[in-house]
C-alpha cells in the first residue's frame, strides 16, 4: 500500500510537468486540446524577439550575479575559517537572515532603499555636474545583479563552509611543514579541494538567479528577465508557446542541477591519495 | 632552538599575525559591504518608513507615528489567509510527504533509493513559475473542468479558489518536506523497529512510540522550511488565486506598486518579518528540546 501511495506521489510530482512538455509539441492552436505532434511552437519561440531579449537579460544577470557571489562568498568563507568571536557570529547571523527573509521583502526593501538613494544622488549630481546632462542613476542591470548576488553569496558561504568542515586539515599542515608559503598552500592544496563545492555553488546561484521572479520583479526597472516575461505572458492568456518556453527552461535547469549534483558528489566523495 | 633564534622568530610571528589579520579583513570586505548595502540598509529603510506617513502623491514622507502598525488590521484578510493557509499547507505537505519519506528511508530497496530520492528533489529545482503555471493549465477552464463537463458534470470552477492555491502549494513544497524527514528516518536504527516488534508491539504502537519520536527533528525542520517559505509566498496565490485568495505577499505588492503607500506597506513587511522571526526562534527552541541538530540541506 505504501508502495502504491508512493507511485501516486510521483505521478502527482511529474504529471503536471509531463503535461507541459507534451502540450508544447501540440500542433493545434488551442492550449488544451492535443491535435498532433509539431515543433511549430518552438519555431515561434525561436523567432520571438521579446522573449530572446528577456533570455539574454536573464543570462547576463544570472552569470554576473553567480560569478560575483561565488568570488565574494568563497572569500568570506575562507576568512570566516580564521576568525572567531563577534565577527563570526555577525556574519553567520547575516548569512541566515539573507537566506531566510522572504524574497518579496528583500525585493521591496531593496526597491525603496535604491529609489530613495538614487533620488538623493541624482539631485546632488544635477547640482554639481558641470555639463547640461548629468548622469542619472536608475534601476536596471546593476540593481538586479546586486540584489541576486546577496542571496547567492549567502548560499555560497553556506556551501563552501560545509565543504571546509569536511576538509582534511592535515594536507594544509603538511604543506606548511614543507615550507610552502600560504599563497602556494592555498593555490595547491586548499583551492583544489574546494573547487567542486565552489563550482556547484556557482551553478546553484545561476539557477536561482535564472529562475527568480519576485526579487527581479521589483528591482528590474525597465528590464524584462525571462521569468518576468513569462509571468506577463501568462497574464495575457495561456498559449502553447508558453508550454514550449517552459519546457526549454525546465530542460536547461535540469542540466544545471545535474552538473551541480555531480560536482557536489565529487566534492563529498573521499579523495584518493 | 637557541635563545637567539627565538628572539628573531618572535617579531616575525607578530608580523605574520598582523598580515594575517589584514588578509582576513580584505577577504571579508566585499561580502560585508554587500550585506550592509543590500541587506542591513534596505531593512533599516523599511523600518524607518514604517513609522512615516504616505506623501500626498504616494511614497514616503518623514514622520514618527505608529498609525501604520495600528492600522494593520485593515489588511486582516491577507494576514488571515496567510496564517490559515500557510499552516494548513504545511500540514498537508507533512501528511502527504511523511509516508513517502518513510517508504524511501525504510521500505524501498537500497538499489533504487538514491534515484527515487533525487526524483523527489528535482522538481524543486526546476522553474517555480512554470510548475505553478502547469496548474493554471490543469485547473483552468479547458483543463479538468472541461473533462468533467464532457462526462456530464458542468460548471465546475477550480481555478481562483483556495483549493487551487492549495494544489499549487502542496505541489511546490512537498519535496522540501520529504527531504529532511527522509534524512532523519534514514538515520533511524532499523533494529529498534525489529526489537519493538519482537516485544509484541503492533505496527501502530511501534510507529507512535519509536518511529515518530525519532523522526521529530526531520518533521520540525521540514515544517519550518515549508512554513517560512509559505509565509512570504506571492506567486502561487497570484497565479492560482486570481486576486480572490491573497497572501501578505500579494498585499505588499498591491501596497507598494499600486496604491504607493510605502509607509503602510513597510509596516506590513515588518509584521511579516516579525512573525517569521518568532517562528524561527520557536523552531530553534523545539530542535534544542528534541536534541536534534539541523540537517536541512537540499543540495
Amino acid at each position: 500500500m505504501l508502495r502504491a501511495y508512493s507511485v501516486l506521489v510521483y505521478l502527482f510530482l511529474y504529471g503536471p510537468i509531463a503535461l507541459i512538455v507534451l502540450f508544447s509539441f501540440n500542433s493545434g492552436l488551442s492550449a488544451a486540446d492535443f491535435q498532433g505532434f509539431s515543433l511549430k511552437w518552438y519555431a515561434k519561440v525561436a523567432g520571438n524577439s521579446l522573449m530572446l531579449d528577456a533570455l539574454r537579460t536573464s543570462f547576463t544577470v544570472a552569470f554576473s550575479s553567480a560569478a560575483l557571489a561565488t568570488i565574494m562568498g568563497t572569500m568570506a568563507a575562507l576568512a570566516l575559517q580564521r576568525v572567531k568571536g563577534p565577527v563570526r557570529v555577525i556574519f553567520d547571523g547575516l548569512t541566515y537572515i539573507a537566506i531566510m527573509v522572504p524574497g518579496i521583502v528583500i525585493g521591496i526593501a531593496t526597491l525603496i532603499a535604491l529609489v530613495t538613494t538614487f533620488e538623493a544622488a541624482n539631485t546632488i549630481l544635477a547640482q554639481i555636474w558641470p555639463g547640461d546632462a548629468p548622469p542619472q542613476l536608475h534601476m536596471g542591470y546593476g540593481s538586479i545583479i546586486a540584489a541576486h548576488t546577496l542571496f547567492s553569496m549567502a548560499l555560497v558561504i553556506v556551501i563552501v563552509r560545509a565543504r571546509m568542515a569536511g576538509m582534511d586539515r592535515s594536507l594544509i599542515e603538511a604543506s606548511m611543514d614543507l615550507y610552502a608559503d600560504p599563497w602556494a598552500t592555498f593555490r595547491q592544496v586548499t583551492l583544489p579541494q574546494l573547487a567542486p563545492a565552489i563550482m556547484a555553488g556557482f551553478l546553484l546561484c545561476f539557477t536561482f538567479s535564472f529562475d527568480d521572479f519576485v526579487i527581479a520583479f521589483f528591482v528590474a526597472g525597465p528590464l524584462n528577465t525571462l521569468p518576468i516575461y513569462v509571468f506577463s505572458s501568462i497574464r495575457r492568456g495561456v498559449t502553447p508557446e508558453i508550454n514550449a518556453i517552459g519546457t526549454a527552461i525546465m530542460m536547461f535547469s535540469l542540466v544545471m542541477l545535474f552538473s551541480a549534483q555531480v560536482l557536489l558528489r565529487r566534492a563529498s566523495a573521499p579523495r584518493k591519495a | 632552538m637557541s635563545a637567539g633564534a627565538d628572539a628573531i622568530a618572535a617579531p616575525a610571528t607578530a608580523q605574520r599575525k598582523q598580515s594575517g589579520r589584514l588578509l582576513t579583513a580584505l577577504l571579508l570586505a566585499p561580502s560585508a559591504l554587500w550585506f550592509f548595502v543590500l541587506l542591513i540598509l534596505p531593512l533599516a529603510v523599511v523600518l524607518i518608513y514604517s513609522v512615516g506617513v504616505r506623501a500626498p502623491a504616494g511614497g514616503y514622507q518623514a514622520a514618527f507615528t505608529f498609525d501604520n502598525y495600528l492600522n494593520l488590521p485593515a489588511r486582516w484578510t491577507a494576514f488571515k489567509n496567510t496564517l490559515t493557509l500557510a499552516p494548513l499547507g504545511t500540514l498537508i505537505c507533512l501528511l502527504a510527504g511523511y509516508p513517502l519519506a518513510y517508504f524511501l528511508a525504510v521500505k524501498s530497496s537500497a538499489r533504487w533509493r538514491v534515484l527515487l530520492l533525487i526524483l523527489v528533489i528535482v522538481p524543486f529545482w526546476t522553474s517555480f513559475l512554470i510548475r505553478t503555471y502547469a496548474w493554471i493549465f490543469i485547473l483552468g477552464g479547458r483543463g479538468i473542468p472541461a473533462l468533467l463537463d464532457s462526462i456530464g458534470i458542468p460548471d465546475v470552477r477550480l481555478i481562483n479558489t483556495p483549493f487551487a492555491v492549495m494544489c499549487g502549494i502542496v505541489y511546490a513544497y512537498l519535496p522540501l518536506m520529504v527531504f529532511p524527514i527522509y534524512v532523519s528516518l534514514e538515520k533511524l536504527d532499523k533494529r529498534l523497529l525489529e526489537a519493538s516488534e519482537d516485544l509484541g508491539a503492533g505496527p501502530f504502537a511501534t510507529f507512535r512510540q519509536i518511529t515518530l519520536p525519532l523522526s521529530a527533528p526531520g518533521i520540525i525542520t521540514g515544517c519550518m522550511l515549508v512554513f517560512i517559505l509559505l509565509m512570504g509566498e506571492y506567486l502561487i496565490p497570484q497565479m492560482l488565486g486570481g486576486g480572490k485568495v491573497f497572501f501578505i505577499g500579494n498585499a505588499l505588492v498591491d501596497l507598494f506598486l499600486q496604491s504607493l503607500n510605502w509607509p503602510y506597506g513597510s509596516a506590513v513587511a515588518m509584521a511579516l518579518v516579525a512573525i517569521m522571526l518568532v517562528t524561527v526562534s520557536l523552531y530553534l527552541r523545539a530542535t534544542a528540546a528534541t536534541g536534534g541538530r539541523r540537517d536541512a540541506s537540499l543540495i
Side-chain angles (χ1 to χ4, degrees):
Chain A
M1 209 179 86
L2 206 53
R3 183 179 297 266
Y5 173 78
S6 304
V7 171
L8 280 179
V9 175
Y10 282 103
L11 280 179
F12 171 71
L13 285 175
Y14 283 89
I17 294 177
L19 217 59
I20 295 283
V21 175
L22 177 71
F23 277 91
S24 71
F25 296 111
N26 184 8
S27 66
L29 241 180
S30 154
D33 176 18
F34 199 84
Q35 289 170 353
F37 182 86
S38 153
L39 286 174
K40 74 173 180 194
W41 298 111
Y42 287 93
K44 200 161 177 217
V45 169
N48 179 341
S49 64
L50 276 177
M51 202 284 299
L52 293 176
D53 279 345
L55 180 67
R56 212 165 296 134
T57 309
S58 274
F59 259 113
T60 312
V61 168
F63 185 84
S64 320
S65 70
L68 271 173
T70 309
I71 295 169
M72 299 194 309
T74 307
M75 282 166 66
L78 284 169
L80 286 174
Q81 194 187 19
R82 307 149 56 113
V83 295
K84 286 190 176 61
V87 176
R88 187 150 168 183
V89 172
I90 291 170
F91 263 86
D92 281 349
L94 288 172
T95 307
Y96 280 110
I97 291 174
I99 291 177
M100 218 127 63
V101 173
I104 195 141
V105 174
I106 293 279
I108 283 170
T110 313
L111 171 75
I112 61 173
L114 287 182
V115 165
T116 310
T117 316
F118 287 174
E119 250 170 39
N122 284 339
T123 319
I124 296 170
L125 270 175
Q127 278 168 3
I128 59 166
W129 193 254
D132 282 337
Q136 293 262 320
L137 296 172
H138 53 79
M139 307 296 256
Y141 279 107
S143 51
I144 321 180
I145 292 171
H148 279 179
T149 302
L150 176 76
F151 178 87
S152 297
M153 186 178 80
L155 200 64
V156 172
I157 293 179
V158 171
I159 293 173
V160 174
R161 290 192 64 190
R163 171 74 187 131
M164 279 173 170
M167 229 164 69
D168 196 351
R169 291 273 321 160
S170 59
L171 283 174
I172 294 174
E173 278 154 25
S175 165
M176 297 292 217
D177 287 349
L178 293 167
Y179 297 107
D181 63 66
W183 171 243
T185 305
F186 171 73
R187 212 161 38 83
Q188 291 166 4
V189 182
T190 315
L191 198 57
Q193 284 197 76
L194 287 181
I198 295 173
M199 277 305 293
F202 177 87
L203 293 175
L204 290 177
C205 294
F206 190 100
T207 313
F208 154 74
S209 171
F210 197 73
D211 193 35
D212 169 72
F213 167 76
V214 171
I215 297 174
F217 182 52
F218 285 101
V219 299
L223 289 175
N224 265 338
T225 62
L226 192 57
I228 294 177
Y229 175 78
V230 171
F231 181 78
S232 47
S233 330
I234 293 172
R235 276 191 148 174
R236 285 195 298 272
V238 173
T239 69
E241 204 179 335
I242 298 174
N243 293 336
I245 297 176
T247 305
I249 295 176
M250 284 192 293
M251 288 306 145
F252 180 72
S253 341
L254 278 188
V255 172
M256 296 296 281
L257 174 71
F258 185 73
S259 322
Q261 279 291 338
V262 169
L263 286 166
L264 270 185
R265 183 129 316 155
R266 199 184 297 166
S268 57
R271 285 178 71 90
K272 285 180 189 125
Chain B
M1 203 180 273
S2 75
D6 262 355
I8 296 166
T13 325
Q15 201 179 17
R16 181 180 285 184
K17 217 174 211 173
Q18 204 168 19
S19 72
R21 230 176 255 157
L22 182 69
L23 178 65
T24 308
L26 284 176
L27 286 172
L28 283 177
S31 47
L33 179 76
W34 231 261
F35 277 135
F36 182 75
V37 176
L38 287 141
L39 186 67
I40 300 174
L41 195 69
L43 288 179
V45 169
V46 171
L47 185 64
I48 293 168
Y49 277 23
S50 74
V51 293
V53 292
R54 181 184 189 270
Y60 163 79
Q61 196 169 315
F64 187 77
T65 164
F66 289 108
D67 284 354
N68 296 315
Y69 286 98
L70 296 174
N71 257 331
L72 284 179
R75 290 278 167 164
W76 172 237
T77 328
F79 280 95
K80 191 194 72 187
N81 282 340
T82 311
L83 290 173
T84 50
L85 291 177
L88 186 64
T90 310
L91 183 68
I92 297 177
C93 283
L94 174 63
L95 295 178
Y98 197 97
L100 179 65
Y102 184 81
F103 172 75
L104 288 174
V106 182
K107 299 284 179 190
S108 71
S109 72
R111 231 178 86 201
W112 294 101
R113 188 171 297 156
V114 174
L115 179 69
L116 287 173
L117 187 65
I118 290 175
L119 280 178
V120 173
I121 301 167
V122 161
F124 187 76
W125 283 99
T126 60
S127 172
F128 191 88
L129 192 60
I130 299 297
R131 280 185 301 140
T132 308
Y133 158 75
W135 285 92
I136 298 187
F137 196 65
I138 294 168
L139 300 173
R142 282 180 288 190
I144 291 179
L147 275 178
L148 289 175
D149 191 56
S150 69
I151 59 164
I153 311 170
D155 297 330
V156 177
R157 243 185 92 75
L158 292 175
I159 195 90
N160 303 345
T161 60
F163 171 76
V165 173
M166 201 45 84
C167 282
I169 286 174
V170 176
Y171 188 62
Y173 291 111
L174 190 61
L176 207 55
M177 181 66 86
V178 172
F179 194 73
I181 298 179
Y182 167 84
V183 171
S184 66
L185 280 174
E186 211 234 342
K187 282 190 299 207
L188 181 146
D189 191 342
K190 310 294 181 294
R191 284 173 302 182
L192 287 174
L193 302 179
E194 287 161 24
S196 166
E197 208 173 297
D198 290 346
L199 291 169
F204 184 71
T206 304
F207 177 76
R208 203 170 47 86
Q209 290 169 2
I210 296 180
T211 318
L212 197 59
L214 286 176
S215 56
I219 293 176
I220 294 169
T221 302
C223 288
M224 222 268 316
L225 287 174
V226 173
F227 183 75
I228 287 276
L229 286 173
L230 277 180
M231 289 294 296
E233 190 49 66
Y234 164 75
L235 265 181
I236 295 176
Q238 182 66 31
M239 290 171 75
L240 299 172
K244 294 200 181 68
V245 187
F246 52 91
F247 276 33
I248 298 173
N250 306 73
L252 284 174
V253 171
D254 177 52
L255 285 167
F256 278 94
L257 300 185
Q258 306 293 314
S259 44
L260 298 179
N261 195 341
W262 291 8
Y264 185 56
S266 299
V268 173
M270 276 294 141
L272 175 59
V273 172
I275 295 172
M276 293 186 46
L277 283 181
V278 170
T279 317
V280 174
S281 51
L282 286 178
Y283 160 74
L284 291 176
R285 194 171 295 179
T287 43
T290 54
R293 42 178 207 89
R294 302 195 50 167
D295 38 25
S297 138
L298 269 172
I299 30 154

